[in-house]
């Protein structure tokens, strides 16, 4: 239970590699994946965690090994949060930036499709903000996956 099968540094290396690869995969998957989970997105997140669990531990079942991996993941998360709060370029790279989806009552269909936003999501955002298409000044897909509407 307390004897590790792997050296301590391997847990840190494994945790760092998995964290960085998953961070890139989540960023590549798009803003909507991060911002608003559908049941399918939730399923992917749950399966993702299960799929990398053995990679994190290397088959080690020890308590110290699990604690080292957990501490590594939390440390990486704190480090990323610190870096993004201090540096705009790092923040834009890691967290992303807002994307203009429409202006002055016109929706940019090519941008909406590129961002994998459904027409229903755009209409829902307009309804939530009690804004008709004609009243819409700007429509943004925020870095966190939410859609923001500015009225004229």
């Amino acid at each position: 239970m307390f004897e590790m099968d792997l050296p301590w540094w391997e847990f840190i290396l494994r945790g760092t590699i998995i964290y960085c690869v998953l961070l890139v995969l989540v960023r590549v998957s798009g803003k909507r994946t991060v911002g608003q989970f559908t049941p399918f997105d939730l399923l992917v997140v749950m399966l993702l965690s299960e799929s990398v669990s053995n990679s994190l531990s290397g088959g080690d079942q020890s308590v110290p090994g699990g604690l080292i991996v957990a501490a590594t993941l939390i440390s990486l998360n704190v480090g990323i949060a610190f870096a993004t709060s201090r540096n705009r370029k790092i923040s834009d790279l890691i967290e992303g930036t807002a994307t203009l989806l429409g202006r002055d009552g016109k929706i940019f269909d090519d941008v909406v499709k590129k961002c994998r936003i459904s027409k229903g999501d755009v209409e829902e955002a307009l309804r939530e903000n009690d804004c008709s298409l004609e009243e819409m000044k700007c429509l943004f897909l925020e870095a966190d996956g939410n859609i923001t509407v500015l009225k004229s």
Side-chain angles (χ1 to χ4, degrees):
M1 177 156 98
F2 293 106
E3 191 171 320
M4 295 187 298
D5 295 335
L6 302 171
W8 63 270
W9 57 265
E10 190 170 326
F11 291 104
I12 295 171
L13 182 62
R14 285 172 175 273
T16 302
I17 291 169
I18 297 298
Y19 184 91
C20 292
V21 169
L22 288 179
L23 181 65
V24 169
L25 290 175
V26 168
R27 281 289 292 129
V28 168
S29 70
K31 295 175 185 173
R32 294 296 280 183
T33 305
V34 176
Q36 297 179 350
F37 283 144
T38 65
F40 303 107
D41 296 328
L42 183 59
L43 181 62
V44 168
V45 169
M46 290 174 13
L47 292 174
L48 201 62
S49 68
E50 182 64 26
S51 70
V52 299
S53 64
N54 286 337
S55 299
L56 285 170
S57 66
D60 186 292
Q61 302 283 331
S62 70
V63 172
L67 293 175
I68 290 170
V69 171
T72 299
L73 296 174
I74 290 171
S75 298
L76 288 167
N77 199 50
V78 169
I80 294 285
F82 181 81
T84 57
S85 69
R86 302 283 191 276
N87 187 305
R88 178 68 177 200
K89 288 183 182 181
I90 293 174
S91 175
D92 290 349
L93 178 69
I94 301 288
E95 296 173 356
T97 58
T99 303
L100 183 64
L101 298 176
R103 174 177 282 147
D104 298 326
K106 177 160 176 21
I107 305 295
F108 305 144
D109 292 326
D110 54 334
V111 177
V112 171
K113 287 178 186 174
K114 182 180 173 193
C115 292
R116 297 187 303 271
I117 305 294
S118 71
K119 185 177 181 180
D121 287 341
V122 172
E123 291 169 351
E124 180 182 347
L126 290 169
R127 283 192 305 274
E128 285 176 354
N129 288 278
D130 194 28
C131 180
S132 68
L133 194 57
E134 295 78 27
E135 294 176 302
M136 184 261 300
K137 180 174 175 67
C138 290
L139 185 69
F140 292 98
L141 175 60
E142 301 294 342
D144 66 0
N146 292 315
I147 298 175
T148 303
V149 180
L150 300 178
K151 290 183 182 182
S152 330

